[in-house]
Structure formats: structure tokens, C-alpha cells
Amino acid sequence: MRPRLAGFAAAAFAAAATALVVSPTASADDLVTHHEFQANCTVSHTAQDDPIVYPGQPGASHHHTFIGNTETDAYSTPESLQQGDTTCLVPADRSAYWFPTLYDGDEPVLTDWHLVVYYKSGVEDYTTVQPFPQGLRFVAGDMMASPQEFEDAPGSVEGFECGESFHNYTFPAWCTDWLNIRYQSPSCWDGVNLDSPDHKAHMAYPVSGSCPSSHPVPVPMIEFKIHWPVEGDMSQVRLASGQASSWHYDFFNAWEPETLAAMVEHCINGGLQCDSRGFDLYKPDRGAVLDEDYVLI
């Protein structure tokens, strides 16, 4: 399984390259092509719960697949998540991540491989990105979106991908390789509210590379890279939330603050392409943030 996962990560790294910053006398260590780190997490459980949209109402939501915090349910709070365990490689990442379950017919499609959640800079000046505040939560995407709205959404990245087929905003009829999607979250926070009535208004996407004055605080841009072990005939594939364009996901921050701050500073502010340990394979002299057990050094 490791070689396949490495392939996904390598492809995502290549696709994520942004503007190259080079001075006339730049050395290899000065080149900035990425400003990111990974959270790699396996599926924890599934449930019809959503502690952001339907807090305290078990079973009220469509079916969700949860990764990260193992205790996430309808009653989750920042305090309860801090007490939970995690399926992420980094023990200090007790955040809850979830998305509508994918079905092939009546069977849920799950995987035991690590799924990748990238933490990146969404603004041009990556040195200004700040860690998420404790308890911040939001929904990225719109389950009511039409295929055209899904395609035009600021978080959309090439729609659903199957092998060499990209830009699919409905499920393709046939998939020659596992189904993938990448979708980016808003990365500008209003600096005040940890949530909002629609679970979106306290967050915004950057405009022309900068955060708008209404949402002045740049925080990490999360990019979900989800892959499902489904291929071949896709005629029976659907999301629990509806058609392909209903794709969305939820994030509830429960990182240990010191660890998240160190990862943001070293990897995002430092202009590195980090793995889950905060290590840049291409700039090994810059060191790592976490030890071999993924604990803060």
C-alpha cells in the first residue's frame, strides 16, 4: 500500500507548485515553490452525525465518513475533542475532519489507506499565515451546488479525477483508476467568530492573493485530497449528500496549539514542502518539527 500512497503524494506535490520566488543569486535552499505540510489520517468511523450543522442531534445528518478524531459525534465540542484519540499520524492533531460518504450502489466505499489533508498558504505572502484558533470550525463547499456552481467554486481543483481524466464535475461514467477529489477551503478568518450561523460567513477565500478587510486574518488553507477504491462502471456511484456537485467537507480544529504553531511557522511561513513530520525531503538541512514518533521536538 505504501507505494500507491507515495504516488498520490508525489502527484499532489507536483500539482501544488505555486509561483517560484528566485533572487539573482539564489541557492537551491532559497527557492520557494511550496508552503505546506501534510496531515495524513485514516478513516475512523462513519455515522449520520454532524457536530457543526446538527450539534446535539445524533442521526440528523446524511451519512458522513470521519477521519482524525476517533470520538467525533453529534455532541463533540472543542473540549471533548481535546480528550479524544486520533487516526492521524501526528498524535497532537485531534482535529475532526468529515465528508459525505461515497456509495457504490448501497455499499459505502471506504479505504484503510492514509488520506491526505494539506495545510497550505492560501495568500501570496505565506509568511503571514497564522495557526487556526482553538475550536475554529467551518464547512467548505456547498451540498446544494449545481455542477456549474461546483465547477466555478473558489475551492474547486479540477473536480473529480480518475486516472488521466480530470475536470469532472459530475461522476464520470467509467473510471480507469481510483476516484479522487481535491477541494480547498477558505483561508481568511474574520478574527472574531469560531463559527457562524451558516458555518461559512466567518471565513472567506482570498481575493487577488490577499485576505479581504472583512476577514483580515490569514490561516492555513486546507486542501482535502480524498481517494476512494472504486473504479470501472461508475453508474451506481453517489454521495450520501446527493449528486457529485454536492461535495463538501467539515473541519473542527482540535490541534494541540504549540504543535500546530510550530508546523505553521516552519513549513508554511518557512516556504517548505513538508511531510507530516514537518520535514522537507528536498531541503533536508532545514530539519524537522516532529521526531520519529511525530511528537514535537
Side-chain angles (χ1 to χ4, degrees), residues 102-113:
L102 186 82
Y103 286 89
D104 189 357
D106 294 327
E107 293 297 319
V109 181
L110 306 173
T111 178
D112 58 1
W113 292 1

Side-chain angles (χ1 to χ4, degrees), residues 130-159:
Q130 301 179 29
F132 291 123
Q134 273 292 294
L136 181 74
R137 46 204 180 269
F138 58 76
V139 177
D142 180 1
M143 67 172 288
M144 304 304 293
S146 68
Q148 188 62 57
E149 290 169 332
F150 178 45
E151 180 177 356
D152 295 339
S156 183
V157 183
E158 297 188 343

Side-chain angles (χ1 to χ4, degrees), residues 59-70:
S61 171
H62 55 252
H63 204 262
H64 282 118
T65 298
F66 293 84
I67 65 175
N69 200 296
T70 60

Side-chain angles (χ1 to χ4, degrees), residues 251-294:
F251 170 70
F252 201 141
N253 179 42
W255 275 86
E256 187 280 315
E258 187 177 7
T259 302
L260 177 60
M263 293 289 282
V264 169
E265 180 180 10
H266 183 70
C267 299
I268 298 180
N269 301 155
L272 298 178
Q273 183 180 356
C274 292
D275 61 14
S276 290
R277 287 187 55 217
F279 177 74
D280 186 337
L281 177 67
Y282 304 102
K283 298 177 182 177
D285 58 297
R286 298 284 292 273
V289 176
L290 311 178
D291 65 18
E292 293 80 1
D293 296 318
Y294 298 92

Side-chain angles (χ1 to χ4, degrees), residues 224-248:
F224 265 45
K225 182 171 176 62
I226 305 299
H227 54 273
W228 295 272
V230 59
E231 54 191 339
D233 180 12
M234 301 286 287
S235 61
Q236 300 301 308
V237 171
R238 59 183 174 87
L239 291 169
S241 52
Q243 61 182 335
S245 58
S246 71
W247 171 256
H248 61 285

Side-chain angles (χ1 to χ4, degrees), residues 25 29 83 89 110 136 176 186 199-200 212 227 229 263 282 285:
T25 58
D29 194 53
Q83 301 304 313
L89 290 178
L110 306 173
L136 181 74
T176 58
H199 317 296
K200 296 181 182 182
H227 54 273
M263 293 289 282
Y282 304 102
D285 58 297

Side-chain angles (χ1 to χ4, degrees), residues 162 165 168 171-177 231-235:
C162 283
S165 176
N168 298 295
F171 290 129
W174 187 270
C175 222
T176 58
D177 201 352
E231 54 191 339
D233 180 12
M234 301 286 287
S235 61

